[in-house]
Amino acid sequence: RKGNLVAIIKGNAKNILIAERVALNFLSHMSGIATKTNEFVKLAGKRTKICCTRKTIPNLRVVQKYAVKLGGGTNHRFNLSDEYLIKDNHIASLDLKTLVSKAIKLKKGRKITVEVDNLNQLKSIMGLKFNTVLFDNMSVKSLKKGVKISNKHYETEASGNITLKRVRAVAGTGVN
């Protein structure tokens, strides 16, 4: 049936058979990403975007991110050089407020995202001029409070432990 047609392959039968398994594995991988993304998108609803990770298989980033789009998800960070992403491993070297202030001075038009894993970290950086708060591995209750505190000032993201069982509750917090 034409509605289910993915491709028509013409050429030397031997070469087609040699490449067939690789092509099917590749297609299966991309289909799996698109399907799983779509499951998350449906559960999250229209107000919350499901975004892909930058943690991809080497040399497959572009097609894996394309598969996310096909599943209804959103691409946002292609790699770490796209924006400043201040994470918990950076906080081990300096306090969060100092790190964010340095990034603001050096940003050169790049977006700044700050990862927090508790509300005290969020409160310590409120008022600084950055773009996005990334709530990491937070309970739904804490996430809801964090979104309420930051919603008028920053875009919000949630990551860590976002499963099909939890995604609806996470989206219900109002996180972007």
Side-chain angles (χ1 to χ4, degrees):
R1 289 185 270 166
K2 288 201 179 222
N4 295 329
L5 184 64
V6 174
I8 296 174
I9 301 170
K10 294 182 180 183
N12 177 286
K14 181 181 175 188
N15 291 338
I16 291 172
L17 291 172
I18 289 170
E20 175 187 35
R21 181 56 48 203
V22 172
L24 288 174
N25 285 340
F26 185 75
L27 183 62
S28 171
H29 181 65
M30 296 302 112
S31 295
I33 291 169
T35 300
K36 186 58 75 175
T37 300
N38 192 256
E39 290 176 36
F40 277 94
V41 167
K42 285 178 180 175
L43 287 170
K46 296 190 185 311
R47 287 183 49 220
T48 300
K49 293 186 287 186
I50 296 298
C51 300
C52 60
T53 180
R54 68 187 192 309
K55 299 170 185 167
T56 56
I57 296 172
N59 299 319
L60 292 182
R61 180 168 289 167
V62 172
V63 290
Q64 288 178 319
K65 286 184 166 284
Y66 178 65
V68 166
K69 285 181 86 166
L70 291 175
T74 301
N75 296 158
H76 66 326
R77 278 188 285 277
F78 190 76
N79 60 44
L80 287 176
S81 66
D82 289 344
E83 67 182 66
Y84 282 93
L85 177 57
I86 300 170
K87 297 176 55 66
D88 51 1
N89 55 336
H90 301 120
I91 298 166
S93 63
L94 274 174
D95 72 279
L96 187 57
K97 192 169 185 175
T98 302
L99 284 168
V100 176
S101 297
K102 283 184 175 210
I104 291 167
K105 288 177 187 167
L106 300 171
K107 74 180 193 172
K108 297 179 184 168
R110 278 187 270 174
K111 199 174 143 181
I112 299 172
T113 297
V114 183
E115 179 183 278
V116 298
D117 54 20
N118 63 62
L119 296 177
N120 288 333
Q121 287 178 331
L122 174 62
K123 290 173 185 173
S124 77
I125 57 174
M126 286 300 297
L128 296 178
K129 298 199 181 297
F130 61 94
N131 306 90
T132 306
V133 177
L134 171 57
F135 298 102
D136 187 43
N137 283 304
M138 288 185 128
S139 68
V140 170
K141 184 179 177 183
S142 292
L143 181 57
K144 190 176 249 182
K145 287 179 185 175
V147 168
K148 188 174 182 180
I149 292 167
S150 59
N151 224 2
K152 292 181 179 124
H153 309 284
Y154 310 107
E155 181 181 46
T156 56
E157 292 182 16
S159 72
N161 198 25
I162 310 295
T163 64
L164 288 173
K165 285 182 178 180
R166 287 188 78 228
V167 70
R168 184 168 292 175
V170 170
T173 66
V175 68
N176 300 123

